[in-house]
Amino acid sequence: MRVPIHHDTNIESLLHKLNTDTCFLSDWNKENDKLNFPPEIIQNAVAKNVSSHQNNYYFMDEMHETKQWLTKEVFEIDKIKKRNLSFAISSNGTSTSYLLLNLFRIKKKLKVLFIAPIYFTYIKVLTDLKVETYYVEGMKEGKLHIDFEELERSIVKNEVNLLIMNDPLFGSGVKITKDIYQKIVNICKNHEIILYIDFMYGGMDWDIDNLTIVNYDILNLFNIYSNIIVTESISKRLFLNGIKNCIVYGNEENIDFFEKASVHTLGSLVYSQLTLLTQLYDRRNRTYVLNAIKENISYAKKNFELIQTMLMCSDYILSDCSSGYFCLMGIPYNKLNSNNNLDIARTLIEQINVLTIPHDRYLLKSTSHYYFRINLSMEQSRLIPAIKKIVELLSLEDIRHLCLHD
């Protein structure tokens, strides 16, 4: 399906309705201070050699020593069957994606296919660049579902040369399985197109016994096909939104192109981003870091299970969540007098002061349910009452008139 030229990702009309008492269920921030990363490592990273660091630039194409250190400190080379990939250190995922999309566009006229739902930055940037964009569904009724025949037809019919996907599918907690990855990579290889995997919210599987600092299953995809880009962030896994960093994996040609272009487009990193990255990846802090991630995702999983219990035996839908801090909730349209998602979101905040972001903004389309993201890191004392308010509001017999907006 073609992404509409005027597809709107703007949610300002909803954000303007926020007040101090609003429960922002779809919030991207972490309001729960109980899950804060212990300050010692952050303080050490920020304070480390401040007198010398304040005098230097830290450009991406000049980080040879840091990259060599990371290779020895982090990567278990025997788990990477071949060494046909390289990596860069970047400041954050959003600026990285912006630059990468522009660089791909410089090389050739882009035609892009998304596996939806997808992070809004990709939609917005490619719209601004006037790039033809298409999408296929990545899930149905909250579960992972990709029609590979449709995926391949869209690539061929629309002459697609770049496929972009989030893992987990954006805002859903639905992760891409190993066998699905194999199929996607082989399709990209057969049609010689670039595969861009946004793994910024990856690496947080709820199966905490197998949690690792590096996802070798994804890195080993480069053994099948080299024209892949992967972005990931350990700071994202720890919800360190104020001091972010990003690692970009790709073949040597793409990474070299990215690093050189970053000098005159993104500029240098802040020294604290670089020192924090090395602190988080330092083997001496490995147990500390992994335990913090485990604690966070265990909390998210517990919240998900509470909501799951609340909605049991109802026609509400929860995404088949097994990773990260977010899940999707679907409200049946038949409980409302509208299938206009923006109207429904307005109704919820106006009637019960609960703010939700319609997930059709991220190209999740449904004819049966209104979907929105839930931030599972929220304190239970705010999260559970907000879900109850939604259920109670929609159980009213006269609810149908509430969704009528001019």
Side-chain angles (χ1 to χ4, degrees), residues 133-365:
T133 51
Y134 304 85
Y135 70 98
V136 295
E137 295 177 336
M139 58 191 301
K140 282 189 176 179
E141 296 184 351
K143 298 184 183 298
L144 180 65
H145 177 86
I146 300 174
D147 184 331
F148 290 103
E149 290 184 1
E150 181 189 0
L151 177 71
E152 201 154 9
R153 276 197 306 269
S154 185
I155 290 172
V156 174
K157 178 183 176 181
N158 302 308
E159 300 179 328
V160 166
N161 49 27
L162 173 61
L163 175 64
I164 305 178
M165 58 188 290
N166 287 109
D167 181 15
L169 294 172
F170 184 69
S172 71
V174 175
K175 65 179 184 178
I176 307 299
T177 59
K178 191 173 180 178
D179 62 314
I180 295 293
Y181 264 128
Q182 296 276 341
K183 292 178 181 177
I184 291 172
V185 171
N186 281 319
I187 289 172
C188 291
K189 181 180 180 180
N190 291 341
H191 296 281
E192 299 182 336
I193 69 174
I194 304 167
L195 173 60
Y196 185 159
I197 303 169
D198 182 328
F199 200 64
M200 298 298 288
Y201 280 104
M204 295 185 282
D205 293 359
W206 289 355
D207 181 9
I208 61 175
D209 292 336
N210 295 316
L211 197 68
T212 59
I213 211 78
V214 176
N215 188 300
Y216 290 102
D217 286 340
I218 286 185
L219 296 189
N220 281 328
L221 295 176
F222 285 88
N223 301 332
I224 304 172
Y225 184 52
S226 65
N227 207 4
I228 301 175
I229 290 287
V230 180
T231 55
E232 66 98 25
S233 173
I234 192 169
S235 61
K236 204 77 158 175
R237 285 179 252 170
L238 292 162
F239 243 127
L240 294 174
N241 295 336
I243 314 179
K244 296 195 289 184
N245 49 55
C246 172
I247 290 185
V248 188
Y249 299 100
N251 60 40
E252 290 187 5
E253 179 186 352
N254 284 334
I255 294 301
D256 185 59
F257 191 31
F258 172 76
E259 287 183 329
K260 288 178 179 176
S262 72
V263 175
H264 64 270
T265 54
L266 303 183
S268 62
L269 275 75
V270 178
Y271 88 88
S272 57
Q273 292 176 302
L274 195 56
T275 53
L276 180 62
L277 180 129
T278 56
Q279 289 287 303
L280 295 178
Y281 277 118
D282 194 312
R283 288 183 187 273
R284 292 169 293 184
N285 297 327
R286 185 68 48 82
T287 301
Y288 199 64
V289 169
L290 284 175
N291 284 341
I293 297 172
K294 288 177 182 179
E295 183 179 350
N296 289 354
I297 59 180
S298 294
Y299 185 90
K301 182 181 180 183
K302 184 176 180 180
N303 274 348
F304 177 79
E305 290 171 345
L306 285 172
I307 300 171
Q308 202 173 36
T309 301
M310 288 174 61
L311 302 179
M312 191 177 295
C313 301
S314 73
D315 48 0
Y316 292 88
I317 289 178
L318 287 179
S319 57
D320 194 12
C321 191
S322 62
S323 178
Y325 304 126
F326 299 99
C327 75
L328 292 180
M329 179 173 168
I331 299 173
Y333 285 135
N334 62 20
K335 291 185 178 292
L336 303 157
N337 194 36
S338 174
N339 59 2
N340 182 308
N341 289 337
L342 196 57
D343 280 354
I344 296 170
R346 289 195 194 107
T347 296
L348 293 178
I349 193 168
E350 289 170 3
Q351 297 294 323
I352 55 175
N353 207 14
V354 172
L355 178 57
T356 60
I357 299 176
H359 222 67
D360 64 348
R361 295 306 188 254
Y362 313 108
L363 298 176
L364 178 66
K365 304 298 184 180

Side-chain angles (χ1 to χ4, degrees), residues 21-32:
D21 297 321
T22 303
C23 181
F24 189 3
L25 274 182
S26 302
D27 199 356
W28 43 82
N29 289 320
K30 174 171 64 68
E31 296 181 353
N32 190 344

Side-chain angles (χ1 to χ4, degrees), residues 385-402:
I387 301 296
K388 285 182 178 179
K389 283 181 181 180
I390 292 174
V391 174
E392 289 170 0
L393 177 70
L394 300 184
S395 67
L396 297 175
E397 290 184 3
D398 59 349
I399 179 63
R400 298 180 189 278
H401 78 278
L402 295 176

